[in-house]
Amino acid sequence: MAAARRWTSAVLSGVTDDELDDILLVVDELVSNAFDHGLSPRLMRLHRSEEPCLVRVEVCHASTQVPVLGRSRLGGHQGRGMLIVNRLAKDWGVTLVPHGKTVCAEVECEP
């Protein structure tokens, strides 16, 4: 996850510190979920649009289990990640593909 955070910080020049903090939390949660619940291969992509200003975080992996808000197969103190994503993101969703899924979240930013 540290590598994903460093890469995100490096490629998202121009966003405010507050926006970057929100984006990094979303990256942390989606990447953590990919390692906790997903299967290899794993891939993360970032897309930034200017009008409206959005940063889209996409994490793909080879599991077709759809995330559920507030629940975790791992039990205990797990299960809050998608609640955080839901709170910080303008929108989020899941796209199933033949060999897995892509979980994405869009975070608003200043133009």
Side-chain angles (χ1 to χ4, degrees), residues 30-93:
L30 295 184
V31 171
S32 293
N33 281 353
F35 279 90
D36 289 346
H37 304 287
L39 305 168
S40 292
R42 297 174 185 93
L43 171 72
M44 185 182 99
R45 291 185 293 257
L46 293 174
H47 303 276
R48 183 175 178 183
S49 64
E50 294 301 323
E51 299 232 359
C53 189
L54 291 172
V55 174
R56 181 180 174 94
V57 179
E58 297 179 352
V59 176
C60 309
H61 57 85
S63 169
T64 56
Q65 291 188 335
V66 177
V68 178
L69 286 177
R71 278 198 219 137
S72 173
R73 299 188 326 259
L74 303 176
H77 294 54
Q78 304 284 332
R80 294 181 195 88
M82 290 311 295
L83 291 172
I84 293 169
V85 171
N86 190 58
R87 184 76 177 232
L88 294 175
K90 179 180 187 237
D91 195 17
W92 70 273

